[in-house]
Amino acid sequence: MTLSRRPAERRRIVALVVLSCLSLGSLAGLVGGLVSCVPKEEAVQARPLSTAEAQRLADMRVTNYRDERAGVSAVWGDGDSQVRVAGWVDWKRALTYVRVGGPGAGDQRGLLQAVPGMVANRPATAQEAAAEAEAPRPSDATKPAPPVAEPPAAPPADGWQLRTWTPTGQKATPLDTFLSLMFVIASTRSDRADLLARTEARWMGQDRIGGTTVDVLLGPAVPPQPLPTASPTPTAKSKATATPAERATASPSTATPTPTRTAPPTALNELGGAMRYWLDSGSKLRRFEALLPGNMSARVDLDHAERPELTAVAAFGGRTIAPRKPTKTEAALLAKMRQRNFERGGAKFSVDVPTIPLAYLRGTGWLDWSSTVAYLAVHDVRKPTDVAYMRADPNGVALQTKTGKRIEEPPVPAPDSGWTFQAWTERSDARGGLDIDLLLGEALAVAAPTKDSASFFVEHASFLRKDEIDGVAVTVFEIAKPAELGNVGRGQARMRYWVDKSGAVLRLEARTRAGTFGQLNLVDGTVPTLPTGPLGS
């Protein structure tokens, strides 16, 4: 059984799987030249790393990853330019959740969550900003401002704005560079101690943090990597000795390219820049310092004892999942899911599809399962007066655009003319099908007049977590598509299904091509007569 009827499903899933498999280690490629060259006030007793110190520095990132989570307190800038951050990081999930404040926070003030490459911020309300502004400050502008409060454990459900991050280059911001550093300091494996020992890394002295003696090490933001080993190339025959067939099929050149360098870089400015690391005897990172864009010195303290589980905003996947094989009871619930939806007849629905930086689509409409048709009005949140009416059925999508005013729901009855029709197979680009199409196609397909086989879901579905929508308890499942079976692990499938105790789907959730999550929420209610005949050509 398949829950999607779109012909481009396999291509769409494979494209997303590639995009969604970003590991913490792969962030290193994003941070060339990440921090300015060397933090201030180098200690006079600096010396090269000992073998043991190089090994501890090499184990630092994997130690962070194994610790999974830590509390974060950061500050950069002075006086009225000072920015202060408090919250947590989850290295295993690749998620940071903080509150940004301080006199220099500006329009960055408020709550913030980040995953590699993407930032969600919820600007502080006027009341919250005023309360922080009224907090007493030291008369000496060089002394720290009062620390900001940690964010609420459960992030607010609304008010979040999404954007891509800019941690490097001419448009790099201190905040985004800080966020990228929070991910770079963790990895799934140890770094090469021998390569670190050959760099400009130095032992700078000792310090004490929270009663623990730590070593202060100057090291690279991005650890050195061994040069790739060239694969042996067969010796090419000369044209004089080659056969005609060999000459006809020979590559233009079979010589191995000469490597541009013979050893990994050792200069810190070639390894993302210099950072100071406060490491304890167990390779646990307690503090680090770096120079952010604008030559701002940042100090970041990590509390490894404060390790709460983080709840992501909806666009980043929500609460933590614990994927496992469904029980027999859960498989039986999924087996009646499509029949239960068919019995509902239809529903009103809303869609929220953050495909930043291309668009952030939101829309509202109705779904009629008896006619297998969905009808909605959708807009980009950045252009709310540019609206598209969409009518989706098993054959494809009919479109009509309107401009000039906000339209929350499509008109009923639907306009008779002005439609353009596209088959599902035509609605794709070089990266595969469109994210909103995935949700609409799945919404059409998740209803049938008869029950499905529970044994199918035992093999293809995964339990993810318990959750709730507007106070209604649901179980969140994923169901792997054919292209995903054997290619992704549990918890990594593209589609998620939020199912209540009766088997009704209350939410469909999809991983977007941007690495975020899009949602289609279903609410029982009266469904008007929707357009079912041919629209457009």
Side-chain angles (χ1 to χ4, degrees):
M1 182 192 73
T2 176
L3 293 180
S4 175
R5 301 181 182 182
R6 295 185 310 283
E9 180 64 22
R10 287 180 179 270
R11 186 171 66 254
R12 187 175 297 116
I13 291 174
V14 171
L16 180 102
V17 169
V18 171
L19 288 170
S20 66
C21 287
L22 179 67
S23 66
L24 296 180
S26 68
L27 283 167
L30 299 176
V31 292
L34 190 60
V35 292
S36 303
C37 287
V38 181
K40 306 173 192 176
E41 304 172 4
E42 281 199 37
V44 294
Q45 70 270 34
R47 58 165 173 75
L49 301 182
S50 68
T51 300
E53 289 159 355
Q55 186 59 59
R56 284 163 55 206
L57 184 58
D59 291 338
M60 175 195 71
R61 297 200 304 150
V62 73
T63 300
N64 284 337
Y65 184 80
R66 289 169 179 167
D67 264 8
E68 298 188 12
R69 300 178 297 276
V72 178
S73 177
V75 59
W76 60 82
D78 297 315
D80 289 340
S81 299
Q82 189 174 82
V83 176
R84 300 184 69 82
V85 172
W88 308 278
V89 60
D90 186 327
W91 289 301
K92 205 158 193 176
R93 195 176 176 189
L95 173 68
T96 296
Y97 179 29
V98 296
R99 187 190 299 274
V100 181
D107 58 7
Q108 299 170 337
R109 188 183 316 278
L111 302 180
L112 180 147
Q113 289 199 358
V115 297
M118 195 75 64
V119 176
N121 70 288
R122 188 177 189 273
T125 65
Q127 183 178 3
E128 292 168 340
E132 185 184 348
E134 293 170 1
R137 289 196 177 87
S139 56
D140 185 350
T142 64
K143 292 184 178 180
V148 296
E150 291 177 339
D158 56 6
W160 294 89
Q161 303 169 2
L162 264 68
R163 62 174 177 84
T164 55
W165 70 6
T166 310
T168 63
Q170 294 183 344
K171 296 183 179 180
T173 66
L175 178 61
D176 286 7
T177 301
F178 156 75
L179 293 172
S180 62
L181 285 173
M182 292 308 303
F183 296 122
V184 171
I185 58 173
S187 176
T188 57
R189 64 184 64 184
S190 294
D191 299 313
R192 287 278 298 270
D194 58 328
L195 298 182
L196 282 167
R198 297 172 197 163
T199 69
E200 295 174 339
R202 294 292 184 266
W203 178 87
M204 307 294 291
Q206 288 190 325
D207 201 348
R208 288 184 67 81
I209 295 179
T212 300
T213 299
V214 295
D215 287 301
V216 183
L217 307 180
L218 186 72
V222 181
Q225 303 296 322
L227 294 179
T229 303
S231 57
T233 304
T235 303
K237 293 185 179 181
S238 69
K239 288 187 177 181
T241 59
T243 67
E246 289 170 337
R247 286 197 296 271
T249 58
S251 301
S253 173
T254 56
T256 303
T258 302
T260 56
R261 62 190 313 153
T262 58
T266 59
L268 297 185
N269 62 4
E270 292 185 88
L271 294 167
M275 292 175 60
R276 259 197 196 115
Y277 301 102
W278 275 251
L279 285 181
D280 67 15
S281 59
S283 297
K284 191 165 289 188
L285 181 63
R286 301 302 187 98
R287 173 183 295 164
F288 69 84
E289 288 184 351
L291 292 183
L292 304 180
N295 212 34
M296 290 190 177
S297 178
R299 188 188 75 186
V300 183
D301 287 281
L302 301 174
D303 184 352
H304 292 264
E306 187 182 13
R307 304 172 63 253
E309 285 201 4
L310 305 187
T311 297
V313 295
F316 294 158
R319 292 169 47 204
T320 302
I321 61 173
R324 59 166 170 78
K325 195 171 185 175
T327 64
K328 290 184 178 180
T329 300
E330 291 163 348
L333 181 69
L334 290 171
K336 65 180 182 180
M337 175 180 67
R338 297 206 301 163
Q339 185 183 51
R340 174 70 182 90
N341 290 328
F342 191 81
E343 292 169 351
R344 294 162 72 186
K348 187 172 183 177
F349 71 91
S350 61
V351 291
D352 193 288
V353 189
T355 55
I356 302 295
L358 299 178
Y360 193 155
L361 300 180
R362 283 183 181 155
T364 304
W366 299 276
L367 179 66
D368 186 338
W369 279 305
S370 61
S371 301
T372 320
V373 62
Y375 180 46
L376 71 156
V378 65
H379 65 274
D380 187 334
V381 296
R382 297 170 295 187
K383 301 177 181 179
T385 60
D386 292 348
V387 181
Y389 302 151
M390 300 179 67
R391 197 286 308 271
D393 64 20
N395 298 312
V397 176
L399 293 163
Q400 183 173 148
T401 59
K402 298 289 182 181
T403 60
K405 68 175 183 178
R406 300 178 68 108
I407 301 174
E408 300 300 330
E409 294 180 351
V412 177
D416 294 325
S417 59
W419 295 91
T420 300
F421 179 79
Q422 292 178 313
W424 291 113
T425 51
E426 298 172 348
R427 289 178 56 78
S428 61
D429 56 23
R431 296 174 60 193
L434 306 180
D435 296 313
I436 193 168
D437 287 5
L438 174 64
L439 285 166
L440 290 176
E442 206 70 21
L444 293 174
V446 76
T450 59
K451 290 176 64 175
D452 296 304
S453 169
S455 61
F456 171 88
F457 296 101
V458 171
E459 299 301 324
H460 293 72
S462 295
F463 166 93
L464 299 182
R465 68 171 181 256
K466 295 288 188 179
D467 215 310
E468 65 175 40
I469 298 178
D470 296 331
V472 177
V474 296
T475 305
V476 184
F477 299 97
E478 68 175 19
I479 303 173
K481 297 293 187 286
E484 295 174 315
L485 292 174
N487 293 317
V488 300
R490 291 190 184 275
Q492 295 300 314
R494 190 170 184 184
M495 284 299 309
R496 295 179 176 182
Y497 306 79
W498 297 48
V499 184
D500 71 9
K501 63 181 181 180
S502 75
V505 173
L506 302 188
R507 174 178 293 171
L508 292 169
E509 191 168 45
R511 296 175 188 267
T512 72
R513 303 186 306 180
T516 58
F517 284 82
Q519 292 85 28
L520 188 151
N521 293 302
L522 297 154
V523 178
D524 290 336
T526 302
V527 177
T529 301
L530 304 184
T532 57
L535 294 175
S537 58

